[in-house]
């Protein structure tokens, strides 16, 4: 049942984002920022953790999950370092994921030889 819940929750999130892209004039970058901010807000309200318990990777993999990771990092850093934690918490909590994305995308560019669009 965990796989089914992850599948349908992730699918609903993606479908809602696609509808948002199709029916509004919002650009993809703004929609991504909206998702990250929504994940951080849901994490701050304590709703996101319950959603992840229910849906697992279906809720934690989309950009909502990245926003939640940033929120948790900022909260932890503020608890440890005070107001300076606002500036460093997001970086320390998301550094591994961002580094992995950069390394794997660079490796893929070496393997597949991307070409520029004309």
């Amino acid at each position: 049942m965990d796989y089914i819940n992850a599948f349908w929750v992730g699918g609903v999130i993606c479908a809602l984002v696609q509808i948002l892209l199709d029916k509004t004039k919002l650009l993809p970058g703004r929609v991504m920022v909206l998702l990250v901010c929504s994940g951080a807000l849901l994490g701050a309200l304590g709703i996101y953790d319950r959603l992840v318990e229910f849906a697992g990777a279906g809720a934690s993999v989309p950009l909502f999950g990245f926003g939640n990771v940033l929120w948790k990092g900022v909260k932890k850093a503020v608890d440890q370092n005070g107001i300076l934690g606002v500036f460093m918490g997001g970086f320390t909590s998301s550094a591994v994921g961002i580094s992995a994305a950069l390394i794997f995308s660079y490796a893929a560019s070496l393997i597949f030889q991307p070409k520029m669009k004309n």
Side-chain angles (χ1 to χ4, degrees):
M1 197 65 185
D2 291 338
Y3 294 121
I4 293 170
N5 288 338
F7 180 77
W8 77 262
V9 169
V12 166
I13 292 170
C14 292
L16 291 174
V17 169
Q18 189 64 48
I19 291 169
L20 188 64
L21 286 169
D22 291 344
K23 299 295 182 185
T24 67
K25 293 182 180 182
L26 290 174
L27 298 173
R30 291 185 181 191
V31 173
M32 288 192 296
V33 169
L34 180 68
L35 290 171
V36 171
C37 292
S38 298
L41 181 65
L42 291 174
L45 296 174
I47 297 170
Y48 197 80
D49 289 333
R50 289 183 279 177
L51 183 62
V52 170
E53 284 177 23
F54 175 74
S60 63
V61 172
L63 285 173
F64 281 136
F66 184 66
N68 189 46
V69 166
L70 291 175
W71 162 252
K72 285 183 178 180
V74 168
K75 183 179 175 192
K76 180 179 176 184
V78 166
D79 290 343
Q80 291 177 350
N81 303 315
I83 195 69
L84 287 177
V86 171
F87 301 106
M88 59 192 242
F91 292 116
T92 56
S93 67
S94 63
V96 172
I98 292 172
S99 298
L102 290 171
I103 291 167
F104 290 128
S105 62
Y106 179 71
S109 73
L110 293 176
I111 295 168
F112 296 108
Q113 311 251 331
K115 295 175 181 66
M116 296 298 290
K117 289 184 178 182
N118 292 329

